[in-house]
Amino acid sequence: MEIKAVKFRRDGFYTQPFAFGGEEGMDKFDHNIRYRGSLQNYVIDTGSEIILVDTGLPAGFPEETPDETSKAYTGKNICDYMDALAALGYRPEQVTKILLTHRHGDHSGELRSFPNAKIYVNAEEMQANELQGLSNLVPVDFTDGAYHNFPEAQNICEGVWFIKAKGHTRGNSLVIAENDGLYYMFQADITYVDEALYENKLSVVFDDLPAARETLDRVREFVRNNPTVYMGTHTPQGYENLEAKRVMDLDNPVPTILAEADFTETKTSGKYVCSICGYVYDPAEHDGVAFEDLPDDWRCPRCKQGKEKLNKA
């Protein structure tokens, strides 16, 4: 089995209030602490199957332009997701299965580029707007019982498990691949940065707070009891852990390297991008109403997050 990272954005950041403030409130944390951000998904090459864990942003998706007030920033484009996958040596027709952790656009953006693959998705996500019109979805009801301390799981193939992990969205899932005595945990947005795993903090982005807390507790219990390589989507720590085969030790955190944020003024389009789900607010599609003129209680129509989660594009 080979596991590889599909890297398509770099040099982003997540502020401490965003990454830690889900339970205690954002005001309890330091906005000037910015953890490193990126965007990558993963490939599991079993030798007989090519399995993707999520499928990035759609081609041509606009970059954000953060400023000092931005809570989160997904980073600068390295390349489109499909180009990043091709750079690893894979063609769309080779992909046999896709394991979708959840519906948000930075995880589901290129699903339509793989019409021959079976797309496994928590059955509770099936009505999501991002998934409509796809004929190759396989709804998962997690009928294979418990996997270690996770009560509901589905075996996808030898050594690969799809696991219910509700909270971030109501149909959120995670993936674990067993290889050479290690457990590779592919988690998408259960934490945005590894510091939150060590500090036992939830981000401010969740559909179900009690479920998110239960999932993080189970993740930490699993990591404590099994040699786990912890691989997130939104931080370079994800692929750094993979490349080093780094086993997480909750009592001995890896030293933090803070982000170096660049707020150089650049020309923007008037559009705004949701840093959570990828929704693009374009004034041209809303009778010319500028984003700045929307009411303070306006929320993203896709993920229901507030205005402060969107950045200029």
Side-chain angles (χ1 to χ4, degrees), residues 154-205:
Q154 194 84 26
N155 183 229
I156 299 301
C157 64
E158 184 177 359
V160 178
W161 293 82
F162 195 52
I163 297 166
K164 182 178 282 191
K166 294 175 63 172
H168 177 68
T169 69
R170 290 184 174 84
N172 206 72
S173 306
L174 63 80
V175 176
I176 293 178
E178 303 170 2
N179 190 41
D180 292 338
L182 296 178
Y183 296 84
Y184 291 82
M185 181 181 286
F186 307 79
Q187 67 83 24
D189 312 0
I190 293 170
T191 63
Y192 279 82
V193 296
D194 287 8
E195 286 81 4
L197 179 73
Y198 291 122
E199 296 293 334
N200 196 17
K201 302 295 185 184
L202 290 174
S203 83
V204 297
V205 186

CSV table of all heavy atoms in Angstrom, one decimal, residues 154-205:
chain,number,residue,atom,x,y,z
A,154,GLN,N,-17.5,0.9,8.2
A,154,GLN,CA,-17.7,0.1,7.0
A,154,GLN,C,-16.3,-0.3,6.5
A,154,GLN,O,-15.5,0.6,6.3
A,154,GLN,CB,-18.5,0.9,6.0
A,154,GLN,CG,-19.1,0.0,4.8
A,154,GLN,CD,-20.4,-0.6,5.2
A,154,GLN,OE1,-21.1,-0.1,6.0
A,154,GLN,NE2,-20.7,-1.7,4.6
A,155,ASN,N,-16.1,-1.6,6.2
A,155,ASN,CA,-14.9,-2.0,5.6
A,155,ASN,C,-15.0,-1.8,4.1
A,155,ASN,O,-15.9,-2.3,3.5
A,155,ASN,CB,-14.6,-3.5,6.0
A,155,ASN,CG,-13.3,-4.0,5.4
A,155,ASN,OD1,-13.2,-5.0,4.8
A,155,ASN,ND2,-12.2,-3.2,5.6
A,156,ILE,N,-14.1,-1.1,3.5
A,156,ILE,CA,-14.1,-0.7,2.1
A,156,ILE,C,-13.3,-1.7,1.3
A,156,ILE,O,-13.7,-2.2,0.2
A,156,ILE,CB,-13.5,0.7,1.9
A,156,ILE,CG1,-14.4,1.7,2.6
A,156,ILE,CG2,-13.4,1.0,0.4
A,156,ILE,CD1,-15.8,1.8,2.2
A,157,CYS,N,-12.2,-2.1,1.8
A,157,CYS,CA,-11.3,-3.2,1.2
A,157,CYS,C,-10.4,-3.6,2.3
A,157,CYS,O,-10.4,-3.0,3.4
A,157,CYS,CB,-10.6,-2.7,0.0
A,157,CYS,SG,-9.4,-1.4,0.2
A,158,GLU,N,-9.5,-4.6,2.1
A,158,GLU,CA,-8.6,-5.0,3.1
A,158,GLU,C,-7.8,-3.9,3.6
A,158,GLU,O,-7.1,-3.2,2.9
A,158,GLU,CB,-7.7,-6.1,2.5
A,158,GLU,CG,-6.8,-6.7,3.6
A,158,GLU,CD,-5.9,-7.9,3.1
A,158,GLU,OE1,-6.1,-8.2,1.9
A,158,GLU,OE2,-5.1,-8.4,3.9
A,159,GLY,N,-7.9,-3.6,4.9
A,159,GLY,CA,-7.1,-2.6,5.6
A,159,GLY,C,-7.6,-1.2,5.5
A,159,GLY,O,-6.9,-0.3,6.0
A,160,VAL,N,-8.7,-1.0,4.9
A,160,VAL,CA,-9.3,0.4,4.7
A,160,VAL,C,-10.7,0.5,5.3
A,160,VAL,O,-11.6,-0.3,4.9
A,160,VAL,CB,-9.3,0.9,3.2
A,160,VAL,CG1,-9.8,2.3,3.1
A,160,VAL,CG2,-7.8,0.8,2.7
A,161,TRP,N,-10.9,1.4,6.2
A,161,TRP,CA,-12.2,1.5,6.9
A,161,TRP,C,-12.7,2.9,6.8
A,161,TRP,O,-12.0,3.9,6.9
A,161,TRP,CB,-12.0,1.2,8.4
A,161,TRP,CG,-11.6,-0.3,8.6
A,161,TRP,CD1,-10.4,-0.9,8.5
A,161,TRP,CD2,-12.5,-1.3,9.0
A,161,TRP,NE1,-10.5,-2.2,8.8
A,161,TRP,CE2,-11.8,-2.5,9.1
A,161,TRP,CE3,-13.9,-1.4,9.2
A,161,TRP,CZ2,-12.4,-3.7,9.4
A,161,TRP,CZ3,-14.5,-2.6,9.5
A,161,TRP,CH2,-13.7,-3.7,9.6
A,162,PHE,N,-14.0,3.0,6.6
A,162,PHE,CA,-14.8,4.2,6.5
A,162,PHE,C,-15.6,4.3,7.8
A,162,PHE,O,-16.3,3.4,8.1
A,162,PHE,CB,-15.7,4.2,5.2
A,162,PHE,CG,-16.3,5.5,4.8
A,162,PHE,CD1,-15.4,6.6,4.6
A,162,PHE,CD2,-17.6,5.6,4.6
A,162,PHE,CE1,-16.0,7.8,4.2
A,162,PHE,CE2,-18.2,6.8,4.1
A,162,PHE,CZ,-17.4,7.9,3.9
A,163,ILE,N,-15.5,5.4,8.5
A,163,ILE,CA,-15.9,5.5,9.9
A,163,ILE,C,-16.8,6.7,10.1
A,163,ILE,O,-16.4,7.8,9.7
A,163,ILE,CB,-14.7,5.5,10.9
A,163,ILE,CG1,-13.9,4.2,10.7
A,163,ILE,CG2,-15.2,5.7,12.3
A,163,ILE,CD1,-12.6,4.2,11.3
A,164,LYS,N,-18.0,6.5,10.7
A,164,LYS,CA,-18.9,7.6,11.0
A,164,LYS,C,-18.2,8.5,12.1
A,164,LYS,O,-17.7,8.0,13.1
A,164,LYS,CB,-20.2,7.1,11.6
A,164,LYS,CG,-21.2,8.2,11.9
A,164,LYS,CD,-22.5,7.7,12.3
A,164,LYS,CE,-23.4,7.1,11.2
A,164,LYS,NZ,-24.8,6.9,11.6
A,165,ALA,N,-18.2,9.8,11.8
A,165,ALA,CA,-17.5,10.8,12.7
A,165,ALA,C,-18.3,12.1,12.6
A,165,ALA,O,-17.7,13.1,12.2
A,165,ALA,CB,-16.0,10.9,12.2
A,166,LYS,N,-19.5,12.1,13.1
A,166,LYS,CA,-20.4,13.2,12.9
A,166,LYS,C,-19.9,14.4,13.8
A,166,LYS,O,-19.2,14.3,14.8
A,166,LYS,CB,-21.8,12.8,13.4
A,166,LYS,CG,-22.5,11.8,12.5
A,166,LYS,CD,-23.8,11.4,13.1
A,166,LYS,CE,-24.8,12.5,13.2
A,166,LYS,NZ,-26.2,12.1,13.6
A,167,GLY,N,-20.4,15.6,13.3
A,167,GLY,CA,-20.1,16.8,14.1
A,167,GLY,C,-19.8,18.0,13.2
A,167,GLY,O,-20.6,18.9,13.2
A,168,HIS,N,-18.7,17.9,12.5
A,168,HIS,CA,-18.4,19.0,11.6
A,168,HIS,C,-19.5,19.2,10.6
A,168,HIS,O,-20.0,20.3,10.4
A,168,HIS,CB,-17.0,18.7,10.9
A,168,HIS,CG,-16.6,19.7,9.9
A,168,HIS,ND1,-16.2,21.0,10.2
A,168,HIS,CD2,-16.6,19.6,8.5
A,168,HIS,CE1,-16.0,21.6,9.1
A,168,HIS,NE2,-16.2,20.9,8.1
A,169,THR,N,-19.9,18.1,10.0
A,169,THR,CA,-21.3,18.1,9.3
A,169,THR,C,-22.0,16.9,9.9
A,169,THR,O,-21.4,16.0,10.6
A,169,THR,CB,-21.2,17.9,7.8
A,169,THR,OG1,-20.7,16.6,7.5
A,169,THR,CG2,-20.3,19.0,7.2
A,170,ARG,N,-23.3,16.8,9.7
A,170,ARG,CA,-24.1,15.8,10.3
A,170,ARG,C,-23.8,14.4,9.6
A,170,ARG,O,-24.2,13.4,10.2
A,170,ARG,CB,-25.6,16.1,10.2
A,170,ARG,CG,-25.9,17.2,11.2
A,170,ARG,CD,-27.4,17.5,11.2
A,170,ARG,NE,-27.7,18.5,12.3
A,170,ARG,CZ,-27.6,19.8,12.1
A,170,ARG,NH1,-27.2,20.3,10.9
A,170,ARG,NH2,-27.9,20.7,13.1
A,171,GLY,N,-23.1,14.5,8.5
A,171,GLY,CA,-22.7,13.2,7.8
A,171,GLY,C,-21.2,13.1,7.7
A,171,GLY,O,-20.8,12.4,6.8
A,172,ASN,N,-20.5,13.7,8.6
A,172,ASN,CA,-19.0,13.7,8.5
A,172,ASN,C,-18.5,12.2,8.8
A,172,ASN,O,-19.1,11.5,9.6
A,172,ASN,CB,-18.4,14.6,9.5
A,172,ASN,CG,-17.1,15.1,9.2
A,172,ASN,OD1,-16.9,15.9,8.2
A,172,ASN,ND2,-16.0,14.6,9.8
A,173,SER,N,-17.4,11.9,8.1
A,173,SER,CA,-16.8,10.6,8.3
A,173,SER,C,-15.3,10.8,8.3
A,173,SER,O,-14.8,11.8,7.9
A,173,SER,CB,-17.2,9.7,7.1
A,173,SER,OG,-18.6,9.6,6.9
A,174,LEU,N,-14.6,9.7,8.7
A,174,LEU,CA,-13.1,9.7,8.6
A,174,LEU,C,-12.7,8.4,8.0
A,174,LEU,O,-13.6,7.4,7.9
A,174,LEU,CB,-12.4,10.0,9.9
A,174,LEU,CG,-12.6,9.1,11.1
A,174,LEU,CD1,-11.8,7.8,11.1
A,174,LEU,CD2,-12.3,9.8,12.4
A,175,VAL,N,-11.5,8.2,7.6
A,175,VAL,CA,-11.0,7.0,7.0
A,175,VAL,C,-9.7,6.6,7.8
A,175,VAL,O,-8.9,7.4,8.2
A,175,VAL,CB,-10.6,7.3,5.5
A,175,VAL,CG1,-10.0,6.0,4.9
A,175,VAL,CG2,-11.9,7.7,4.8
A,176,ILE,N,-9.6,5.3,8.0
A,176,ILE,CA,-8.3,4.7,8.5
A,176,ILE,C,-7.8,3.6,7.6
A,176,ILE,O,-8.6,2.8,7.2
A,176,ILE,CB,-8.6,4.2,10.0
A,176,ILE,CG1,-8.9,5.4,10.9
A,176,ILE,CG2,-7.3,3.4,10.5
A,176,ILE,CD1,-9.1,5.0,12.4
A,177,ALA,N,-6.6,3.7,7.3
A,177,ALA,CA,-5.9,2.7,6.5
A,177,ALA,C,-4.8,2.0,7.4
A,177,ALA,O,-4.0,2.8,8.0
A,177,ALA,CB,-5.3,3.2,5.2
A,178,GLU,N,-4.8,0.7,7.4
A,178,GLU,CA,-3.8,0.0,8.2
A,178,GLU,C,-2.7,-0.5,7.3
A,178,GLU,O,-2.9,-1.1,6.2
A,178,GLU,CB,-4.4,-1.2,8.9
A,178,GLU,CG,-5.6,-0.9,9.8
A,178,GLU,CD,-6.4,-2.1,10.2
A,178,GLU,OE1,-5.9,-3.3,9.8
A,178,GLU,OE2,-7.4,-2.0,10.9
A,179,ASN,N,-1.4,-0.1,7.6
A,179,ASN,CA,-0.3,-0.5,6.8
A,179,ASN,C,1.0,-0.6,7.6
A,179,ASN,O,1.3,0.4,8.3
A,179,ASN,CB,-0.1,0.5,5.7
A,179,ASN,CG,0.9,0.1,4.6
A,179,ASN,OD1,0.9,-1.1,4.2
A,179,ASN,ND2,1.7,1.0,4.1
A,180,ASP,N,1.6,-1.8,7.5
A,180,ASP,CA,2.9,-2.0,8.2
A,180,ASP,C,2.9,-1.6,9.7
A,180,ASP,O,3.8,-1.0,10.2
A,180,ASP,CB,4.0,-1.2,7.5
A,180,ASP,CG,4.3,-1.7,6.1
A,180,ASP,OD1,4.0,-2.9,5.8
A,180,ASP,OD2,4.8,-1.0,5.3
A,181,GLY,N,1.8,-2.0,10.4
A,181,GLY,CA,1.7,-1.8,11.8
A,181,GLY,C,1.3,-0.4,12.2
A,181,GLY,O,1.2,-0.1,13.4
A,182,LEU,N,1.0,0.5,11.3
A,182,LEU,CA,0.6,1.9,11.6
A,182,LEU,C,-0.9,2.1,11.1
A,182,LEU,O,-1.4,1.4,10.2
A,182,LEU,CB,1.5,2.9,10.9
A,182,LEU,CG,2.9,2.9,11.3
A,182,LEU,CD1,3.7,4.0,10.5
A,182,LEU,CD2,3.1,3.2,12.8
A,183,TYR,N,-1.5,3.0,11.8
A,183,TYR,CA,-2.9,3.4,11.4
A,183,TYR,C,-2.9,4.8,10.9
A,183,TYR,O,-2.5,5.8,11.6
A,183,TYR,CB,-3.8,3.3,12.7
A,183,TYR,CG,-3.9,2.0,13.3
A,183,TYR,CD1,-3.0,1.5,14.2
A,183,TYR,CD2,-5.0,1.2,13.0
A,183,TYR,CE1,-3.1,0.2,14.7
A,183,TYR,CE2,-5.2,-0.1,13.5
A,183,TYR,CZ,-4.3,-0.6,14.4
A,183,TYR,OH,-4.4,-1.8,14.9
A,184,TYR,N,-3.1,4.9,9.6
A,184,TYR,CA,-3.2,6.2,8.9
A,184,TYR,C,-4.6,6.8,9.0
A,184,TYR,O,-5.5,6.2,8.4
A,184,TYR,CB,-2.7,6.1,7.5
A,184,TYR,CG,-1.2,5.7,7.3
A,184,TYR,CD1,-0.8,4.4,7.5
A,184,TYR,CD2,-0.3,6.7,7.1
A,184,TYR,CE1,0.6,4.1,7.4
A,184,TYR,CE2,1.1,6.4,7.0
A,184,TYR,CZ,1.5,5.1,7.1
A,184,TYR,OH,2.8,4.7,7.0
A,185,MET,N,-4.7,7.8,9.7
A,185,MET,CA,-6.1,8.4,9.9
A,185,MET,C,-6.2,9.7,9.0
A,185,MET,O,-5.5,10.7,9.2
A,185,MET,CB,-6.3,8.8,11.4
A,185,MET,CG,-7.7,9.4,11.6
A,185,MET,SD,-7.9,10.0,13.4
A,185,MET,CE,-8.2,8.4,14.2
A,186,PHE,N,-7.1,9.6,8.1
A,186,PHE,CA,-7.4,10.7,7.2
A,186,PHE,C,-8.6,11.4,7.8
A,186,PHE,O,-9.8,10.9,7.8
A,186,PHE,CB,-7.8,10.1,5.8
A,186,PHE,CG,-6.8,9.2,5.2
A,186,PHE,CD1,-6.7,7.9,5.6
A,186,PHE,CD2,-5.9,9.7,4.2
A,186,PHE,CE1,-5.8,7.0,5.0
A,186,PHE,CE2,-5.0,8.8,3.6
A,186,PHE,CZ,-4.9,7.5,4.0
A,187,GLN,N,-8.4,12.6,8.3
A,187,GLN,CA,-9.5,13.3,9.0
A,187,GLN,C,-9.7,14.6,8.3
A,187,GLN,O,-8.7,15.3,8.0
A,187,GLN,CB,-9.3,13.4,10.5
A,187,GLN,CG,-8.1,14.3,10.9
A,187,GLN,CD,-8.5,15.8,10.9
A,187,GLN,OE1,-9.7,16.1,11.0
A,187,GLN,NE2,-7.5,16.6,10.8
A,188,ALA,N,-10.9,15.0,8.0
A,188,ALA,CA,-11.2,16.3,7.3
A,188,ALA,C,-12.0,17.1,8.2
A,188,ALA,O,-13.2,16.9,8.4
A,188,ALA,CB,-11.9,16.0,6.0
A,189,ASP,N,-11.3,18.1,8.9
A,189,ASP,CA,-12.0,19.2,9.6
A,189,ASP,C,-12.5,18.8,11.0
A,189,ASP,O,-13.2,19.5,11.6
A,189,ASP,CB,-13.1,19.8,8.8
A,189,ASP,CG,-12.7,20.2,7.4
A,189,ASP,OD1,-11.5,19.9,7.0
A,189,ASP,OD2,-13.5,20.7,6.6
A,190,ILE,N,-12.2,17.6,11.5
A,190,ILE,CA,-12.4,17.3,12.9
A,190,ILE,C,-11.5,18.2,13.7
A,190,ILE,O,-12.0,18.8,14.7
A,190,ILE,CB,-12.1,15.8,13.2
A,190,ILE,CG1,-13.2,14.9,12.5
A,190,ILE,CG2,-12.1,15.5,14.7
A,190,ILE,CD1,-12.9,13.4,12.5
A,191,THR,N,-10.3,18.4,13.3
A,191,THR,CA,-9.5,19.5,13.6
A,191,THR,C,-8.9,20.1,12.3
A,191,THR,O,-8.7,19.4,11.4
A,191,THR,CB,-8.3,19.2,14.6
A,191,THR,OG1,-7.4,18.3,13.8
A,191,THR,CG2,-8.8,18.5,15.8
A,192,TYR,N,-8.7,21.5,12.4
A,192,TYR,CA,-8.1,22.1,11.2
A,192,TYR,C,-6.6,22.1,11.3
A,192,TYR,O,-5.9,22.1,10.3
A,192,TYR,CB,-8.6,23.6,11.1
A,192,TYR,CG,-9.9,23.7,10.4
A,192,TYR,CD1,-11.1,23.5,11.1
A,192,TYR,CD2,-10.0,24.0,9.1
A,192,TYR,CE1,-12.3,23.6,10.5
A,192,TYR,CE2,-11.3,24.1,8.4
A,192,TYR,CZ,-12.4,23.9,9.2
A,192,TYR,OH,-13.6,24.0,8.6
A,193,VAL,N,-6.1,22.1,12.5
A,193,VAL,CA,-4.6,22.0,12.7
A,193,VAL,C,-4.3,21.0,13.8
A,193,VAL,O,-5.2,20.8,14.7
A,193,VAL,CB,-4.1,23.4,13.1
A,193,VAL,CG1,-4.3,24.4,12.0
A,193,VAL,CG2,-4.7,24.0,14.4
A,194,ASP,N,-3.1,20.5,13.9
A,194,ASP,CA,-2.8,19.5,14.8
A,194,ASP,C,-2.7,20.0,16.3
A,194,ASP,O,-2.9,19.3,17.2
A,194,ASP,CB,-1.4,18.9,14.5
A,194,ASP,CG,-1.5,17.9,13.3
A,194,ASP,OD1,-2.5,17.9,12.6
A,194,ASP,OD2,-0.4,17.3,13.0
A,195,GLU,N,-2.4,21.3,16.4
A,195,GLU,CA,-2.4,21.9,17.7
A,195,GLU,C,-3.8,21.7,18.4
A,195,GLU,O,-3.8,21.6,19.7
A,195,GLU,CB,-2.1,23.4,17.6
A,195,GLU,CG,-0.6,23.7,17.4
A,195,GLU,CD,-0.3,23.6,15.9
A,195,GLU,OE1,-1.2,23.4,15.0
A,195,GLU,OE2,0.9,23.8,15.6
A,196,ALA,N,-4.9,21.8,17.7
A,196,ALA,CA,-6.2,21.6,18.3
A,196,ALA,C,-6.4,20.1,18.8
A,196,ALA,O,-7.0,19.9,19.8
A,196,ALA,CB,-7.3,21.9,17.2
A,197,LEU,N,-5.7,19.2,18.1
A,197,LEU,CA,-5.8,17.8,18.6
A,197,LEU,C,-5.0,17.7,19.9
A,197,LEU,O,-5.6,17.1,20.9
A,197,LEU,CB,-5.2,16.8,17.6
A,197,LEU,CG,-5.1,15.4,18.0
A,197,LEU,CD1,-6.5,14.7,18.0
A,197,LEU,CD2,-4.2,14.6,17.2
A,198,TYR,N,-3.8,18.2,20.0
A,198,TYR,CA,-3.0,18.2,21.2
A,198,TYR,C,-3.8,18.9,22.3
A,198,TYR,O,-3.8,18.4,23.5
A,198,TYR,CB,-1.7,18.8,21.0
A,198,TYR,CG,-0.7,18.1,20.1
A,198,TYR,CD1,-0.2,18.6,18.9
A,198,TYR,CD2,-0.3,16.8,20.4
A,198,TYR,CE1,0.6,17.9,18.1
A,198,TYR,CE2,0.5,16.1,19.6
A,198,TYR,CZ,1.0,16.6,18.4
A,198,TYR,OH,1.9,15.9,17.6
A,199,GLU,N,-4.3,20.1,22.1
A,199,GLU,CA,-5.0,20.9,23.1
A,199,GLU,C,-6.4,20.5,23.4
A,199,GLU,O,-7.1,21.1,24.3
A,199,GLU,CB,-4.9,22.4,22.7
A,199,GLU,CG,-3.5,22.9,22.6
A,199,GLU,CD,-2.8,23.0,23.9
A,199,GLU,OE1,-3.5,23.1,25.0
A,199,GLU,OE2,-1.5,22.9,23.9
A,200,ASN,N,-6.9,19.5,22.6
A,200,ASN,CA,-8.3,19.1,22.8
A,200,ASN,C,-9.3,20.2,22.6
A,200,ASN,O,-10.2,20.4,23.4
A,200,ASN,CB,-8.5,18.4,24.2
A,200,ASN,CG,-9.7,17.6,24.3
A,200,ASN,OD1,-10.3,17.2,23.3
A,200,ASN,ND2,-10.1,17.3,25.5
A,201,LYS,N,-9.2,20.9,21.5
A,201,LYS,CA,-10.1,22.0,21.2
A,201,LYS,C,-10.8,21.8,19.9
A,201,LYS,O,-10.3,21.2,18.9
A,201,LYS,CB,-9.3,23.3,21.0
A,201,LYS,CG,-8.4,23.7,22.2
A,201,LYS,CD,-9.3,24.0,23.4
A,201,LYS,CE,-8.4,24.5,24.6
A,201,LYS,NZ,-9.2,24.8,25.8
A,202,LEU,N,-12.1,22.2,19.9
A,202,LEU,CA,-12.9,22.2,18.7
A,202,LEU,C,-12.9,23.5,17.9
A,202,LEU,O,-12.8,24.6,18.5
A,202,LEU,CB,-14.4,21.9,19.0
A,202,LEU,CG,-14.7,20.5,19.5
A,202,LEU,CD1,-16.1,20.4,20.0
A,202,LEU,CD2,-14.4,19.4,18.5
A,203,SER,N,-12.9,23.4,16.6
A,203,SER,CA,-13.0,24.6,15.8
A,203,SER,C,-14.4,25.2,15.9
A,203,SER,O,-15.3,24.6,16.5
A,203,SER,CB,-12.7,24.3,14.3
A,203,SER,OG,-13.8,23.8,13.7
A,204,VAL,N,-14.6,26.4,15.4
A,204,VAL,CA,-15.9,27.1,15.4
A,204,VAL,C,-16.8,26.5,14.3
A,204,VAL,O,-18.0,27.1,14.2
A,204,VAL,CB,-15.7,28.6,15.3
A,204,VAL,CG1,-14.9,29.1,16.5
A,204,VAL,CG2,-15.1,29.0,14.0
A,205,VAL,N,-16.4,25.6,13.5
A,205,VAL,CA,-17.2,25.1,12.4
A,205,VAL,C,-17.8,23.7,12.7
A,205,VAL,O,-17.1,22.7,12.8
A,205,VAL,CB,-16.4,25.0,11.1
A,205,VAL,CG1,-17.4,24.7,9.9
A,205,VAL,CG2,-15.8,26.4,10.8
